[in-house]
């Protein structure tokens, strides 16, 4: 209970200096303390107000503690309230004095006025003084049985407060059991809601060290309770409705009838004016229908209008929160929103963060039928005076172009941007034209004609300059001035501050040299000399490498630097589909607005009720394995992994979310397709390292024409990793490779003693950190470390002996060596006779 | 669940601070304010902090109301819309009790404010935000501040300006304060507030248009009688399977078609399908009865034409013309028209139409904008502004692409573009002498009113 203890920076002009006034107040309070004269309460009120106002502006009035407590013997509620406020503020720092208040607070807890009983109980529980907890138990117990609902409401939250001061006292008094009873029987809905919040918090905190607590927590999701709450949902306040809906979103109905019953019951919640209620309802709908593709799609259609209404009504802050969720849904299923694109047009007075979301949505929903209009609109923004938005708009146009709809017209537009002669427009456009050329080399002719006219002097931004230089190098045969432009850049080597640009300049000059050597020879010489002397390590290395390569054999050098290129078919999505699924699972939470899953921005105990299970606790189960069994297996596993067992939601993961988890994979077309994207690019990397993409990423070294044998991967036989770090890494890293392998009959037989496999893998420098499961599902977690680096590999290996399959998930610090590692891993497995 | 709640002034002063759970370290107010004040994003110089952000594991939520920052913190991954909605609601409850929301009124009434905060949230969990329910817990009386001196708040406050028909003090009345003569005046306010967004193409064609409306109610009736609000008979909600931008050809029929709407929880829709009436027992304080959204074609109140023509010798001429297309018995006020000019504009001189009162035009050097202010515009009239520009350098050819778009803000009292009407307001209290004041007021505001060049 604390008005700020530190002083506010600009106090009101009447602010007193402090000491004199405080001692004045002290003596005045003394005089009034014993008085029973009529009107004394009014004078007390004035004095109390003064005390509180001093307290608010940061003057220390704790020396009045005794007098304040004495004066509190009154029936005047206003006085009492001020006194409680005062006591709550200073009790924590003055535990000895706090003891003084216990007496009168306890007395007030028995007052005949329920208002006073409630207030006193609340203040008593808010003292936060550990030594006083014993005094709380009695009043709390009678408060929970009070005939007045206000007192019960306060008492329930009081139990939670007590739990936070001393969990042992709270559990010993068996308060949770009383709350459980109240939750099911109290007439007052706010009492019920408070019981639910309190029990959720207590059981969640206890679940990590008590199996019973985790069962109790799971019992909150039992069918009778859920139905009990759902049937009365309209009697609850809008805030309590949110709480209940959040709980229902985690409930797994037994059949589709149940799903439809719940949805029909909650249908009208979508028309609520409170955005929080609507979003919580939407979450329920989305979670319930995950496994029913067509219904899920209908849900999207149904929630569109309410979401759009919420976005446009209410304060800008609220509409931002809703827009963030709309954004998530649009990104998941753009095709369902393609006719609503006009809603995503920007309004001139919207802040940057809103416009940015809208631009992303516009980009996502562009298809054959609306691209023309969307791009026309985006071009308006590109000319906008608002520079960051202009930039974003140009990028958006580029992204749409890369999505392949009506590229022809868009290329024209992009080229028109270059004619606008605004520096930032030119810069953004150059980057895009470069990407376009990598995907659609057939446009080179048109683009080159325009790009050739751009003076490199007008391009200052490193990214844009690098793009321009790349184009000059790549298309030097078509651009007459290319060698000369590059030469002048090379001559001004020292003025170029960005290493990225210098790297590109080296490579571009090399490419140019092989096409037009007489004109480039001099410039290349200058650049190589300057590059070798460069302070930047990468620039230095690349220059030296080129130099040696040229000396060794010019024709090999040409094959290295200028190999025949393939067009890039798909650019990798910066966010993995796994991350996206996690954010979706955490719908209606901060994860959506931050666009990252909760583990990235919050610590374990504060993930809130939204977090779904951890990867580790989420065995993908076979239908014939009962959920309970897996749950137990998992717990074993987790216990063996982490000593503390600090994993917040180990059990409910598989028990509640297994179906939803599975279906989320199969269901949303968008997410699976982006999975494919990642795999595809990954494969491309491996198959033809000569891709242009490598070159632009600054990996000039790897662009060997003939696939060089990958350096053999060697592992550190003595690698160490503690379980905590393993868990953390496992959570943070994306899956770089997942595959399924058939298991041989010998392998199945060998698993009767899993230890043998572990020993064998250790012999191959692949260490086992945890095992779990029972026949037919075995689960192993392995890790390995590169021999000369810290870079680690993590593997989850699930072997199902009845289906004779092994599922591998590999995560790696260094994604590029995953393939090599998986080869090692597989060969180790097959040496054991598994495969 | 929230951990702390506080209200900061625009300068960052702590006005109210309440720590509910003690999980967030001291100094969070400073961390928050510094972050908001010096928000950095991309290459923007004056970027605006989003309503939600996190620093060192602490999530900060804020809303701006009446120039004050209402802030909540938490370490938990909570629902952002719940917290933002709550902050907004806390502001409304405080305003209901104090009558006026301002730094001054908060400072004068901080004991009352703490009293409210203790009942609204307990240990981070929301208990109630109902002004009505809270009444029984609140014992302090508000100290009123002079409403005339403070800046207006919220959409309904526009009624305080200009229009004499409204009792100006009514909306700044506390729900618990007594009238000077000790007698409460029985009255109820129903405000239909519409924000309109229109984008005109360079040829004057409407590219997009939308009306976001709300029916706001504030009741000062004793005994909480039931109220019936009757809306247009021809009111349709939803456009069936059609795309919402697929305008119907017959808009002259008078039917109002809303794309969608939502309702306050007190509203019962039992007879809505039959006779388009909403029935409710209004809780105390201000609340939105219904929010609605409409993209049906409507007649925009203003037509805007802007032209920029390049002349020789680094000169150009701008003409902005606005025509008020609403009836002449209605007057718009507080009109501001802005138009960004090419970056190399060095000077602008203006020619305001002769005999125009209450008009000013300015060239904002810092952001190269024309700003044209008109105190009022009577329906049916037309106004023109001409400006001569001087450039500091040769333009790159397409001067149209370097200026604009023109945007406009305005307020039009007693007018709404959607055609949605409150036909009658029935108060179910059976007494012939009981005849409370009923105020049904309309107002239209520009949200994003843009004309491209």
């Amino acid at each position: 209970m604390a008005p700020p203890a530190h002083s506010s920076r600009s106090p009101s002009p009447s602010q007193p200096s402090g000491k004199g006034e405080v001692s004045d107040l002290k003596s005045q309070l003394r005089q009034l303390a014993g008085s029973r004269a009529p009107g004394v309460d009014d004078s007390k009120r004035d004095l109390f107000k003064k005390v509180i106002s001093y307290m608010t502006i940061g003057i220390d009035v704790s020396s009045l503690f005794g007098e304040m407590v004495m004066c509190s013997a009154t029936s005047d509620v206003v006085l009492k309230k001020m006194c409680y406020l005062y006591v709550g503020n200073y009790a924590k720092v003055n535990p000895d004095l706090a003891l003084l208040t216990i007496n009168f607070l306890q007395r007030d807890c028995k007052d005949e006025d329920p208002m006073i009983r409630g207030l006193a109980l609340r203040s008593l529980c808010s003292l936060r003084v550990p030594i006083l907890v014993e005094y709380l138990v009695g009043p709390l117990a009678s408060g929970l049985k009070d005939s007045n609902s206000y007192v019960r409401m306060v008492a329930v939250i009081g139990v939670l407060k007590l739990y936070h001061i001393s969990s042992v006292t709270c559990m010993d008094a068996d308060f949770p059991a009383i709350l459980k009873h109240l939750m099911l029987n109290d007439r007052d809905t706010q009492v019920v809601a408070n019981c639910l919040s309190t029990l959720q918090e207590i059981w969640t905190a206890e679940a990590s060290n008590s199996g019973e607590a985790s069962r109790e927590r799971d019992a909150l999701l039992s069918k009778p309770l859920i139905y009990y709450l759902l049937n009365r949902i309209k009697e609850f306040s809008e805030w309590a409705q949110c709480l209940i809906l959040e709980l229902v979103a985690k409930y797994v109905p037994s059949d589709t009838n149940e799903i439809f019953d719940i949805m029909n019951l909650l249908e009208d919640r979508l028309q609520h004016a409170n955005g929080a209620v609507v979003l919580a309802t939407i979450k329920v709908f989305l979670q319930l229908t995950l496994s029913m593709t067509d219904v899920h799609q209908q849900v999207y259609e149904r929630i569109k209008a309410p979401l759009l209404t919420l976005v446009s009504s209410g304060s800008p802050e609220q509409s931002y929160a809703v827009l963030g969720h709309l954004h998530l849904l649009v990104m998941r299923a753009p095709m369902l929103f393609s006719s609503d694109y006009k809603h995503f047009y920007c309004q001139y007075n919207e802040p940057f963060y809103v416009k940015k979301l809208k631009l992303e949505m516009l980009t996502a929903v562009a298809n054959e039928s609306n691209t023309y209009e969307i791009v026309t609109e985006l071009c308006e923004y590109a000319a906008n005076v608002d520079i960051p938005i202009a930039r974003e708009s140009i990028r958006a146009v580029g992204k749409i172009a890369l999505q392949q709809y009506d590229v022809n017209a868009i290329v024209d537009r992009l080229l028109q941007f270059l004619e606008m002669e605004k520096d930032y427009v030119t810069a953004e456009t150059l980057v895009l034209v470069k990407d376009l050329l990598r995907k659609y080399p057939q446009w080179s002719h048109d683009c080159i004609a325009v790009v050739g006219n751009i003076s490199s002097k007008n391009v200052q931004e490193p990214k844009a300059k690098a793009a321009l230089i790349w184009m000059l190098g790549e298309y030097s045969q078509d651009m007459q001035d290319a060698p000369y432009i590059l030469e002048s850049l090379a001559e001004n080597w020292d003025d170029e501050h960005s290493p990225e640009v210098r790297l590109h300049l080296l490579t571009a000059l090399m490419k140019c040299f092989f096409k037009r050597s007489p004109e480039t020879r001099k410039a290349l010489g200058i650049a190589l000399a300057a590059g070798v002397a460069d302070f930047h390590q990468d620039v230095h290395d690349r220059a030296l490498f080129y130099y040696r390569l040229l000396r060794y054999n010019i024709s090999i050098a040409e094959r290295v630097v200028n190999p025949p290129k393939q067009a890039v078919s798909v650019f990798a999505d910066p966010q993995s589909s796994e991350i996206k699924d996690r954010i979706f699972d955490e719908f209606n939470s901060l994860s959506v607005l931050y666009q990252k899953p909760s583990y990235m921005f919050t610590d374990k105990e504060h993930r809130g009720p939204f977090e779904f299970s951890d990867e580790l606790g989420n065995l993908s189960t076979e239908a014939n394995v009962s959920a309970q069994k897996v749950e137990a297996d998992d717990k074993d596993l987790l216990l063996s992994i982490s000593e503390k067992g600090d994993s917040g939601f180990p059990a409910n993961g598989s028990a509640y979310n297994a179906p939803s988890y599975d279906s989320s994979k199969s269901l949303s077309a968008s997410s699976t397709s982006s999975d494919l994207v990642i795999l595809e690019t990954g494969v491309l990397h491996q198959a033809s390292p000569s891709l242009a993409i490598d070159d632009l990423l600054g990996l000039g070294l790897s662009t060997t024409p003939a696939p060089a044998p990958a350096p053999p991967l060697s592992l550190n036989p003595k690698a160490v990793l503690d379980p905590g770090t393993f868990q953390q890494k496992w959570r943070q890293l994306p899956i770089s490779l997942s595959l399924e392998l058939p298991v041989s009959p010998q392998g199945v037989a060998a698993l009767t003693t899993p230890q043998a496999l572990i020993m064998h893998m250790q012999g191959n420098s692949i260490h086992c950190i945890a095992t779990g499961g029972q026949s037919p599902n075995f689960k192993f977690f392995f890790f390995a470390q590169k021999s000369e680096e810290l870079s680690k590999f993590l593997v989850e290996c699930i072997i199902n002996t009845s289906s004779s399959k092994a599922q591998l998930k590999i995560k790696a610090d260094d994604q590029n060596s995953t393939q090599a590692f998986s080869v090692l891993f597989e060969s180790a497995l097959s040496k054991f006779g598994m495969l | 669940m929230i951990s702390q709640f506080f209200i900061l002034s625009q300068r960052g002063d702590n006005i109210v601070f309440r720590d509910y759970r003690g999980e967030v370290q001291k100094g969070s107010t400073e961390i928050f304010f510094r972050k908001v004040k010096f928000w950095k994003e991309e290459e923007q110089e004056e970027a605006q902090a989003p309503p939600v952000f996190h620093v060192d594991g602490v999530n900060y939520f804020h809303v701006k109301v009446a120039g004050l920052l209402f802030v909540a913190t938490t370490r938990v991954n909570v629902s952002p819309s719940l917290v933002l909605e709550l902050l907004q609601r806390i502001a409304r409850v405080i305003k209901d009790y104090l009558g006026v929301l301002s730094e001054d009124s908060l400072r004068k009434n901080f004991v009352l404010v703490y009293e409210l905060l203790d009942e609204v949230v307990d240990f981070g969990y929301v208990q109630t935000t109902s002004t009505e329910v809270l009444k029984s817990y609140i014992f302090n009386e508000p100290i009123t501040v002079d409403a005339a001196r403070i800046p207006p708040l919220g959409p309904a406050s526009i009624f305080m300006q200009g229009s004499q028909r409204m009792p100006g003090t009514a909306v700044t009345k506390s729900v618990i304060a007594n009238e000077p003569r000790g007698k409460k005046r029985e009255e109820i306010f129903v405000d239909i507030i519409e924000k309109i967004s229109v984008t005109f193409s360079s040829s004057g064609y409407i590219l997009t248009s939308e009306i976001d409306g709300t029916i706001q109610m504030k009741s000062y009736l004793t005994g909480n009688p039931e109220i019936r609000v009757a809306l247009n008979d021809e009111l349709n909600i939803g456009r069936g399977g059609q795309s919402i931008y697929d305008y119907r050809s017959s808009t002259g029929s008078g039917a109002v078609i809303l794309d969608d709407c939502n309702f306050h929880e007190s509203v019962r829709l039992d007879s809505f399908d039959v006779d388009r009436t909403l029935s409710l027992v209004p809780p105390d304080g201000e609340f939105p009865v219904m929010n609605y959204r409409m993209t049906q074609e409507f007649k925009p109140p203003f037509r805007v034409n802007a032209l920029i023509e390049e002349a020789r010798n680094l000169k150009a001429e701008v003409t902005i013309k606005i025509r008020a297309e609403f009836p002449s018995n209605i007057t718009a006020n507080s009109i501001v028209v802005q138009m960004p000019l090419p970056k190399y504009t060095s000077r602008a001189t203006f020619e305001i139409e002769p005999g125009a009162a209450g008009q000013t035009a300015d060239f904002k050097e810092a952001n190269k904008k024309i700003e044209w202010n008109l105190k009022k515009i009577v329906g049916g009239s037309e106004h023109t502004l001409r400006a001569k520009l001087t450039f500091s350098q040769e333009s790159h050819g397409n001067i149209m692409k370097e200026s604009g778009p023109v945007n406009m803000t305005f307020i039009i009292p007693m007018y709404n573009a959607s055609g949605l009407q409150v036909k009658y307001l029935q108060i179910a209290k059976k007494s012939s002498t009981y005849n409370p004041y009923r105020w049904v007021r309309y107002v239209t505001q520009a949200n994003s009113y843009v004309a491209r060049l």
Side-chain angles (χ1 to χ4, degrees), chain B residues 389-419:
Chain B
L389 311 181
T390 310
F391 296 150
S392 57
Q393 65 173 79
E394 208 68 58
S395 77
H396 306 308
N398 198 349
I399 188 170
M400 302 281 262
K401 283 242 186 272
E402 315 228 358
S403 37
V406 176
N407 68 66
M408 186 175 177
T409 57
F410 52 80
I411 296 167
I412 318 176
M414 300 322 288
Y415 172 86
N416 73 335
S418 70

Side-chain angles (χ1 to χ4, degrees), chain A residues 405-466:
Chain A
Y405 303 115
D406 196 16
V407 189
N408 200 342
I410 298 176
V411 170
D412 279 351
R413 307 258 193 149
L414 281 175
L415 297 179
Q416 279 171 22
F417 286 153
L418 291 176
E419 286 161 11
M420 280 167 60
E421 297 193 29
K422 288 186 183 176
D423 291 350
Y424 58 89
V425 175
T426 308
E428 288 296 340
T429 313
L430 278 175
V431 176
L432 284 177
V433 170
K434 173 210 67 186
D435 285 344
L436 266 181
L437 286 178
R438 288 166 60 202
K439 188 163 175 184
Y440 307 109
Q442 65 269 33
W443 293 102
S444 64
H445 193 72
D446 303 67
C447 296
I448 292 313
V450 182
V451 170
N453 289 332
I454 296 170
S455 161
S456 62
K457 289 188 190 69
N458 293 342
V459 182
Q460 289 308 326
E461 291 174 33
K463 271 207 162 116
K465 210 165 184 178

Side-chain angles (χ1 to χ4, degrees), chain B residues 268-443:
Chain B
R268 284 190 290 107
L269 298 169
D270 308 345
S271 60
F272 187 71
D273 286 338
V274 185
D275 57 4
R276 297 298 177 211
T277 53
L278 310 171
S279 46
L280 67 156
V281 175
D284 284 337
E286 194 172 283
F287 68 100
V289 175
M290 167 181 174
N291 296 306
Y292 56 92
R293 183 166 54 84
M294 181 175 121
T295 49
Q296 181 191 21
E297 200 171 340
F298 63 92
K299 195 174 177 189
F302 291 100
R303 283 276 169 185
V304 188
N305 284 303
L307 201 64
I308 179 163
E309 281 175 312
E310 199 161 7
R312 279 159 195 276
N313 304 330
L314 302 171
K315 295 231 186 295
E317 196 174 294
V318 173
T319 313
I320 307 175
K321 200 179 281 181
I322 46 181
R323 198 168 67 240
E325 303 212 307
F326 43 86
S328 56
N329 58 346
I330 283 167
T331 306
N333 57 47
S334 319
I335 301 105
V336 183
V337 182
Q338 289 185 319
M339 174 170 159
L341 298 173
K343 285 276 167 277
Y344 42 82
T345 310
S346 55
R347 208 152 49 89
T349 54
F350 298 98
E351 197 183 301
I352 295 175
E353 53 204 355
Q359 284 192 33
T360 55
D362 246 333
F363 172 55
K364 302 280 177 201
E365 183 77 51
N367 43 17
K368 308 282 182 194
K369 262 185 192 174
I370 292 180
E371 194 178 298
W372 180 22
N373 288 281
L374 298 96
K375 273 219 177 83
K376 52 182 164 186
I377 297 180
V378 179
S381 64
E382 187 174 298
H383 300 269
T384 311
L385 176 76
R386 282 176 220 284
K388 289 193 166 26
L389 311 181
T390 310
F391 296 150
S392 57
Q393 65 173 79
E394 208 68 58
S395 77
H396 306 308
N398 198 349
I399 188 170
M400 302 281 262
K401 283 242 186 272
E402 315 228 358
S403 37
V406 176
N407 68 66
M408 186 175 177
T409 57
F410 52 80
I411 296 167
I412 318 176
M414 300 322 288
Y415 172 86
N416 73 335
S418 70
L420 184 82
Q421 283 180 317
V422 172
K423 291 261 187 222
Y424 60 84
L425 192 65
Q426 198 177 62
I427 301 169
K429 207 170 188 180
K430 288 186 180 67
S431 158
S432 54
T433 53
Y434 184 72
N435 197 11
Y437 295 90
R438 294 161 224 211
W439 307 97
V440 178
R441 313 178 290 187
Y442 295 85
V443 74

Side-chain angles (χ1 to χ4, degrees), chain A residues 180 183 195-196 199-201 203 215-222 225-226 229 247 656:
Chain A
K180 210 167 135 187
M183 178 166 69
C195 286
L196 181 57
L199 287 176
Q200 263 184 334
E201 216 182 307
W203 292 136
R215 271 192 300 283
E216 289 287 356
R217 189 195 52 191
D218 297 349
L220 293 177
L221 286 164
S222 66
L225 179 62
I226 296 281
L229 295 171
L247 189 76
Y656 299 122

